[in-house]
Amino acid sequence: MKYICFGYYDKGKFDGMAEAERNAMFDKCFEYDDHLRASGHWAGGEALQGPETALTLYWKNGKVATTDGPYAETKEQLGGILVLEARDVNHAVQLISQHPALKYGTLWEIRPAGDMNEIMKASEQRRRQKTAR
């Protein structure tokens, strides 16, 4: 089963790290990511640019509106996502609990990926019926 892991970090703490400490953190994290790949538990992942590059879209007064920046104003910022392949949530917790980023203050949120296959099939059937008329 796939689990989506959201990594949140404190930008102030990150910016306050010495370059050597930041480099050591990245090296340890990438080494662990390599371990996840080698063991078949890595299903994907991406770092995100800073929250100042975010654009939030929402529906307002019958049309799409946008706001610069992230939706939530918090001290912790979403820094990236990691997609794990794990047996169950306990296995996902076990894998992420070993991630070196935790020791540097990163918070991880783990959620099971949603299976949209049945919903997508039903939608496809409804759309086909509309075009067949």
Side-chain angles (χ1 to χ4, degrees):
M1 181 168 192
K2 283 191 174 72
Y3 289 88
I4 313 302
C5 306
F6 302 92
Y8 295 89
Y9 71 102
D10 181 331
K11 184 173 176 0
K13 183 176 180 179
F14 180 81
D15 290 344
M17 294 170 75
E19 183 178 0
E21 183 182 16
R22 199 172 20 242
N23 288 342
M25 177 195 71
F26 282 129
D27 292 350
K28 289 176 186 173
C29 290
F30 294 146
E31 182 178 4
Y32 187 67
D33 292 347
D34 289 342
H35 167 73
L36 291 173
R37 282 183 193 88
S39 64
H41 297 298
W42 177 275
E46 292 293 334
L48 299 173
Q49 292 186 14
E52 65 279 358
T53 67
L55 183 65
T56 301
L57 281 70
Y58 56 97
W59 193 256
K60 184 175 181 180
N61 300 325
K63 62 181 182 177
V64 174
T66 61
T67 301
D68 290 340
Y71 177 71
E73 293 293 326
T74 64
K75 185 171 85 170
E76 290 83 19
Q77 299 297 328
L78 181 60
I81 62 167
L82 190 155
V83 182
L84 283 179
E85 191 66 49
R87 291 183 304 275
D88 55 33
V89 71
N90 292 327
H91 188 215
V93 168
Q94 177 188 5
L95 292 167
I96 288 298
S97 69
Q98 298 173 49
H99 202 290
L102 282 169
K103 294 177 183 169
Y104 292 92
T106 296
L107 305 173
W108 288 97
E109 176 183 343
I110 301 172
R111 294 191 203 179
D115 183 357
M116 298 291 288
N117 287 327
E118 292 302 317
I119 295 170
M120 289 168 57
K121 285 179 191 174
S123 174
E124 187 177 299
Q125 288 176 338
R126 288 190 302 271
R127 290 179 280 139
R128 255 189 276 151
Q129 288 173 352
K130 283 183 183 178
T131 59
R133 293 180 191 171

